[in-house]
Amino acid sequence: MGHVVAGPVRAYTDFGTRDDASHPRRAILVPPCAEMVLPRVLVLLLVCCCLVTAGAVTGVRTSNAPAGPMLVEPPPGVVTFTNSSGASVACLARGDPPPQVAWLNLDHSPVTNIPGVREVLNNGSLVVWPFSGTDYRQDVHAAVYQCRASNPVGVVLAPPTTLRAGERKKEEEEEEEEEEEEEEEAVRKRDGQVTAEVMCLECGLKYNKNT
């Protein structure tokens, strides 16, 4: 037997899966205010669910998304060094997956290791070891190199780096020569002062003997 609803209250039929004597369909009484508020609440809940889901998906994609290589510390444009000091040029890069760092010659051919002369370390640094004057090689000690970082996502090239060996040696030699000259001048002045004092002392002794 159906229910009679008086006034502005509306009745909605409960949609069930069965409609028999043991499970009859029921009428749900909903006041007008609830009828106006309920759709808004449902819309707000739907929007919140969408935002949360989108944020979660975006966060997952961002954290797991691969990233191309980027230079964190690009090498300098010019590196000057002496044969007694050698040189070490760093090239730091980051990315996801971590990029591989390699060095190229001016013609973009890969830089190879020369035992005791030049080496590319596992951390991506280019090292030129100290050398004697007779071991100078223009293709190593006065050459242009370029750092290359790559991973499956992409490749990045650093600006060229020029190595110049021996230029600072001249400056150091000039400074050393100036220091040696200053020391020699100081020694000469000190010796001259001592000689003058000895001569004065001898003159005084002779004067005392004569008197």
Side-chain angles (χ1 to χ4, degrees):
M1 183 175 180
H3 296 276
V4 178
V5 181
V9 179
R10 296 187 181 183
Y12 295 87
T13 301
D14 181 16
F15 295 95
T17 57
R18 298 174 59 183
D19 185 14
D20 51 24
S22 61
H23 295 82
R25 295 180 181 271
R26 293 170 297 178
I28 301 175
L29 303 181
V30 180
C33 59
E35 184 180 6
M36 297 176 60
V37 174
L38 186 59
R40 297 181 181 178
V41 174
L42 293 176
V43 171
L44 290 175
L45 290 175
L46 181 61
V47 171
C48 291
C49 291
C50 292
L51 291 176
V52 172
T53 304
V57 172
T58 303
V60 172
R61 289 180 179 176
T62 302
S63 60
N64 295 334
M70 182 177 64
L71 294 176
V72 178
E73 183 181 341
V78 178
V79 177
T80 57
F81 60 99
T82 65
N83 60 335
S84 59
S85 65
S88 178
V89 187
C91 183
L92 300 180
R94 67 182 179 186
D96 188 13
Q100 293 183 348
V101 176
W103 285 87
L104 307 176
N105 294 303
L106 186 60
D107 59 357
H108 287 182
S109 61
V111 172
T112 58
N113 292 338
I114 304 175
V117 179
R118 180 183 63 195
E119 184 178 357
V120 178
L121 304 182
N122 294 330
N123 61 3
S125 296
L126 174 65
V127 177
V128 175
W129 302 109
F131 60 97
S132 62
T134 56
D135 295 330
Y136 174 83
R137 293 181 50 170
Q138 186 173 1
D139 61 330
V140 174
H141 304 111
V144 179
Y145 300 92
Q146 191 170 24
C147 175
R148 178 181 184 269
S150 62
N151 66 3
V153 180
V155 178
V156 61
L157 291 173
T161 298
T162 302
L163 264 61
R164 294 176 180 172
E167 292 190 359
R168 292 183 58 186
K169 186 64 177 178
K170 296 179 182 178
E171 298 176 359
E172 293 178 358
E173 289 178 352
E174 291 176 357
E175 292 178 357
E176 291 178 358
E177 291 177 358
E178 291 178 0
E179 292 177 356
E180 291 177 357
E181 291 177 358
E182 291 177 357
E183 292 178 357
E184 292 176 356
E185 182 67 21
V187 170
R188 284 195 297 268
K189 289 181 179 179
R190 184 172 61 250
D191 293 342
Q193 184 177 359
V194 172
T195 303
E197 291 177 353
V198 171
M199 293 177 62
C200 290
L201 180 59
E202 291 178 351
C203 291
L205 292 175
K206 290 180 180 179
Y207 176 77
N208 290 334
K209 288 180 180 181
N210 294 329
T211 56

